[in-house]
C-alpha cells in the first residue's frame, strides 16, 4: 500500500527549521534574562532593606530605644524562620512570595533582651514596572528575532530552491536530448555548495553517456558502411543468376539486407544531428494526396483544411512512406490519412501500437508485440521520428479505443505529425514542442 506523503519545498523546510530554532532560542534566553533580572532586583531590594534596618537599629540604640523609620519591635507578622535566626544573634533578610501579588521584603536584627527589631515592605511598584518593561522588551525582541529568522530562512531556502530548480530544468533538457546543456552553467552564481557537486556529477554523467552513445553510433555506422559494399556486390551477383525460385529468394533477401543497411546508415546520420532540412513551400494537402496515392493506392486521404507549409519535401515524403508502410505491414486496413492545416494523421484499424512504444517512443530493432510486429526491424518509425526532428516537427503515437470500449488499442493506431508554424533555421535548430503541449485530436 502506498504511504501518503506531504510534498513541501526546500525553501519552506529551511524557513520552518530556522524559525523553530530561533523561537526556541529566544524563549530560552528570555526566560533566563527574566529570572536573572528578577533575582538581581530582589537581591538589591534585600540589601536596601538591610541598610535601612541597620540605620533604624543605630537610631534605636542611641535614642533610648525609640522605634522609628517604619520598623517594629517584636512584630507578630514576622516569619517564624526569620525570628528564630534573629534570636540566634544573626542579622537576616528574606523575600516572601505572595501568590500573584508583589513579594514581601523582610529584614530582622536582634536588639537584646530577646527583642527583635524588624522592617517590612513590599517590592516597589517601580521595580514591578521595570520588570514589566523588561518582559515587554523581551517579547518584542523575541517576535522580531522569530520573524527575522523566518525571513532569513525564506531567503536562504529560496536561493537553494532556485538553484535546485535550475539544475532540475537543465537535467530535464539533457534528458530530452539537448546534450549541449550543462547543469553547472545553468545554476550559475558564485556560491559553492552541494548543488555544485550535484551539477558536476550530472554533467560528468551526461558527458559519459554522450561519449558512449557516440561510440555506439560510430560503431553502428561503421558496420553498416562496411556492409554496404559487399551487400551491393551480392545484389549485383544475384542479378546474374538464372531465373527461378531460388534466384528470386536470393534477390529478395539481398534486397532486404541492402534496405536494412541503408536504414541503419540513415539512423546513424540522424543520430549525429548533422542532417539539415532543404526548405520549400508546398501545399500540404495536395502533396500528401499525391504521395499517399503513390505509396498505397488503397489508402484514403481526406483534406479537411489546406495549408501552405515551408518544409523539406523529401524528408516529409520519407516520413509519410514509413508511416504508411508501418500501417500496412503491422496494422490493419483500411488506412486513413487526414490533413488538417499543418497536422497529418495516419490511422489504421489494427491492434494498435505496443505499450512500450507509446510509453518510450520508437526505438531501433524493437518491433513490439507479436500481434502487431511479427516482422521488421523497428527502424521505420525510428527514422520517421528522426526526420520529423530535422523538420522541427513533432511525431506522436496513440491508440484508438474501440467503439465498444473493450480492449485498449483494439480500435487501431494513429500517428500524428505536427508540422511547425515556422520553418526551422538553416542549422536545424527548432524548439520542438513537448508531447503534452498540444493534445492529439481524433481524426
Amino acid at each position: 500500500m502506498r504511504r501518503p506523503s506531504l510534498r513541501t519545498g526546500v525553501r519552506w523546510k529551511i524557513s520552518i527549521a530556522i524559525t523553530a530554532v530561533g523561537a526556541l532560542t529566544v524563549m530560552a534566553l528570555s526566560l533566563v534574562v527574566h529570572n536573572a533580572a528578577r533575582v538581581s532586583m530582589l537581591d538589591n531590594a534585600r540589601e536596601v532593606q538591610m541598610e535601612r534596618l541597620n540605620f533604624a537599629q543605630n537610631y534605636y540604640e542611641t535614642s533610648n530605644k525609640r522605634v522609628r523609620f517604619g520598623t517594629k519591635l517584636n512584630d507578630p507578622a514576622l516569619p517564624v524562620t526569620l525570628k528564630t535566626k534573629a534570636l540566634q544573634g544573626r542579622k537576616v533578610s528574606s523575600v516572601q512570595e505572595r501568590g500573584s501579588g508583589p513579594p514581601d521584603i523582610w529584614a530582622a536584627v536582634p536588639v537584646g533582651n530577646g527583642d527583635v527589631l524588624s522592617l517590612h515592605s513590599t517590592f516597589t511598584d517601580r521595580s514591578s514596572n521595570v520588570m514589566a518593561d523588561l518582559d515587554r522588551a523581551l517579547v518584542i525582541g523575541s517576535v522580531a528575532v522569530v520573524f527575522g529568522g523566518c525571513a532569513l530562512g525564506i531567503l536562504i531556502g529560496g536561493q537553494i530552491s532556485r538553484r535546485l530548480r535550475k539544475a532540475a530544468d537543465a537535467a530535464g533538457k539533457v534528458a530530452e536530448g539537448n546534450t549541449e546543456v550543462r547543469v553547472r552553467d545553468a545554476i550559475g552564481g558564485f556560491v559553492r555548495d552541494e548543488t555544485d557537486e550535484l551539477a558536476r556529477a550530472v554533467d560528468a554523467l551526461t558527458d559519459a553517456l554522450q561519449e558512449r552513445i557516440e561510440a555506439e553510433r560510430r560503431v553502428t555506422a561503421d558496420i553498416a558502411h562496411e556492409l554496404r559494399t559487399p551487400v551491393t556486390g551480392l545484389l549485383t551477383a544475384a542479378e546474374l543468376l538464372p531465373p527461378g525460385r531460388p534466384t528470386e529468394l536470393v534477390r529478395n533477401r539481398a534486397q532486404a539486407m541492402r534496405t536494412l543497411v541503408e536504414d541503419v546508415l540513415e539512423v546513424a546520420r540522424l543520430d549525429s544531428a548533422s542532417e539539415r532540412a532543404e526548405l520549400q513551400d508546398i501545399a500540404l494537402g495536395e502533396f500528401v494526396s499525391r504521395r499517399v496515392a503513390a505509396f498505397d493506392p488503397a489508402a484514403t486521404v481526406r483534406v479537411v483544411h489546406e495549408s501552405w507549409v515551408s518544409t523539406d519535401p523529401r524528408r516529409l515524403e520519407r516520413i509519410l512512406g514509413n508511416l504508411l508502410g508501418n500501417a500496412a505491414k503491422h496494422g490493419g486496413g483500411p488506412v486513413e490519412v487526414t490533413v488538417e492545416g499543418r497536422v497529418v494523421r495516419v490511422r489504421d484499424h489494427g491492434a494498435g501500437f505496443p505499450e512500450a512504444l507509446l510509453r518510450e517512443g520508437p526505438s531501433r530493432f524493437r518491433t513490439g508485440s507479436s500481434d502487431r510486429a511479427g516482422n521488421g526491424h523497428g527502424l521505420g518509425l525510428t527514422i520517421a521520428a528522426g526526420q520529423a526532428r530535422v523538420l522541427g516537427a513533432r511525431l506522436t503515437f496513440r491508440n484508438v479505443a474501440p467503439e465498444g470500449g473493450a480492449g485498449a488499442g483494439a480500435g487501431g493506431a494513429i500517428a500524428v505529425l505536427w508540422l511547425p508554424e515556422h520553418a526551422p533555421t538553416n542549422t536545424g535548430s527548432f524548439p520542438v514542442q513537448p508531447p503534452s503541449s498540444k493534445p492529439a485530436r481524433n481524426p
Side-chain angles (χ1 to χ4, degrees):
M1 184 175 64
R2 185 176 180 181
R3 298 176 59 184
S5 59
L6 178 63
R7 180 177 179 180
T8 57
V10 175
R11 171 188 301 180
W12 300 113
K13 289 180 180 178
I14 295 177
S15 176
I16 291 173
I18 293 179
T19 303
V21 172
L24 293 175
T25 302
V26 297
M27 286 177 61
L29 290 177
S30 297
L31 291 175
V32 170
V33 171
H34 173 83
N35 291 332
R38 191 171 186 275
V39 169
S40 177
M41 295 186 71
L42 289 176
D43 289 342
N44 183 66
R46 288 175 58 187
E47 293 178 359
V48 171
Q49 192 82 330
M50 184 57 69
E51 291 177 359
R52 293 173 59 190
L53 182 59
N54 290 333
F55 181 79
Q57 180 187 6
N58 293 332
Y59 182 81
Y60 174 83
E61 293 175 349
T62 58
S63 62
N64 197 16
K65 299 183 179 181
R66 286 193 296 177
V67 179
R68 299 287 300 274
F69 308 114
T71 58
K72 292 183 181 180
L73 191 63
N74 298 325
D75 188 354
L78 180 67
V80 177
T81 54
L82 266 69
K83 184 177 181 179
T84 302
K85 293 179 180 179
L87 291 176
Q88 293 176 357
R90 299 167 56 185
K91 293 182 179 181
V92 293
S93 62
S94 68
V95 177
Q96 300 293 324
E97 298 289 345
R98 293 194 309 173
S100 59
D104 294 328
I105 311 298
W106 285 93
V109 63
V111 293
N113 300 325
D115 296 329
V116 176
L117 187 66
S118 61
L119 179 63
H120 168 253
S121 64
T122 58
F123 199 59
T124 62
D125 293 339
R126 181 176 178 275
S127 299
S128 300
N129 293 336
V130 171
M131 289 300 302
D133 293 340
L134 176 62
D135 291 341
R136 190 179 303 108
L138 289 175
V139 170
I140 296 174
S142 300
V143 172
V145 169
V146 170
F147 277 100
C150 180
L152 181 62
I154 293 176
L155 180 62
I156 297 176
Q159 183 179 6
I160 297 176
S161 178
R162 284 192 298 272
R163 290 167 64 83
L164 290 176
R165 290 182 185 278
K166 289 179 180 179
D169 292 341
K173 293 179 181 178
V174 173
E176 292 174 359
N178 191 355
T179 56
E180 299 298 325
V181 175
R182 286 296 175 265
V183 179
R184 180 64 191 86
D185 296 335
I187 61 177
F190 298 97
V191 179
R192 296 294 179 264
D193 53 16
E194 289 79 2
T195 309
D196 294 86
E197 297 179 6
L198 174 63
R200 283 193 292 269
V202 173
D203 290 340
L205 177 62
T206 302
D207 292 337
L209 290 177
Q210 182 65 18
E211 291 177 0
R212 181 174 179 179
I213 293 173
E214 181 63 21
E216 293 178 354
R217 187 196 64 79
R218 285 198 302 269
V219 169
T220 303
D222 291 344
I223 293 175
H225 189 271
E226 293 298 326
L227 288 175
R228 194 177 194 178
T229 300
V231 168
T232 301
L234 179 62
L235 188 61
T236 302
E239 296 293 336
L240 302 178
L241 294 176
R245 179 60 179 168
T247 300
E248 183 179 353
L249 292 177
V250 171
R251 289 175 180 173
N252 289 340
R253 292 299 88 196
Q255 183 61 43
M257 184 176 294
R258 180 178 181 179
T259 301
L260 174 60
V261 171
E262 294 295 337
D263 287 346
V264 171
L265 284 173
E266 185 173 357
V267 169
R269 289 194 301 270
L270 292 172
D271 287 345
S272 65
S274 59
E275 296 288 286
R276 298 292 179 263
E278 298 178 2
L279 305 179
Q280 295 181 22
D281 291 335
I282 61 172
L284 184 60
E286 179 185 356
F287 179 86
V288 172
S289 299
R290 286 189 285 105
R291 294 302 185 270
V292 171
F295 286 129
D296 186 1
T300 60
V301 181
R302 184 165 63 99
V303 180
V304 178
H305 174 65
E306 181 64 276
S307 176
W308 282 83
V309 296
S310 180
T311 187
D312 189 329
R314 180 179 63 85
R315 298 183 188 279
L316 181 57
E317 181 179 355
R318 178 67 161 151
I319 296 172
L320 289 173
N322 284 13
L323 293 180
L324 291 171
N326 184 80
K329 183 183 297 185
H330 304 298
V335 177
E336 302 173 353
V337 181
T338 305
V339 180
E340 185 176 357
R342 298 175 178 273
V343 180
V344 180
R345 298 181 180 88
V346 178
R347 175 182 178 179
D348 62 53
H349 290 76
F353 291 116
E355 290 297 326
L357 186 145
L358 297 177
R359 185 174 57 254
E360 304 172 8
S363 177
R364 69 200 69 177
F365 302 111
R366 184 181 65 187
T367 58
S369 58
S370 59
D371 58 349
R372 180 175 177 86
N375 52 67
H377 304 282
L379 295 177
L381 295 182
T382 303
I383 292 174
Q387 295 290 5
R389 285 193 298 270
V390 176
L391 295 179
R394 181 165 56 95
L395 185 61
T396 61
F397 306 92
R398 65 183 181 90
N399 291 331
V400 181
E403 294 183 0
I414 297 182
V416 185
L417 178 66
W418 308 79
L419 291 173
E421 295 182 2
H422 303 283
T425 64
N426 55 5
T427 61
S429 58
F430 187 88
V432 180
Q433 292 178 306
S436 60
S437 62
K438 185 186 290 185
R441 293 172 291 178
N442 291 329

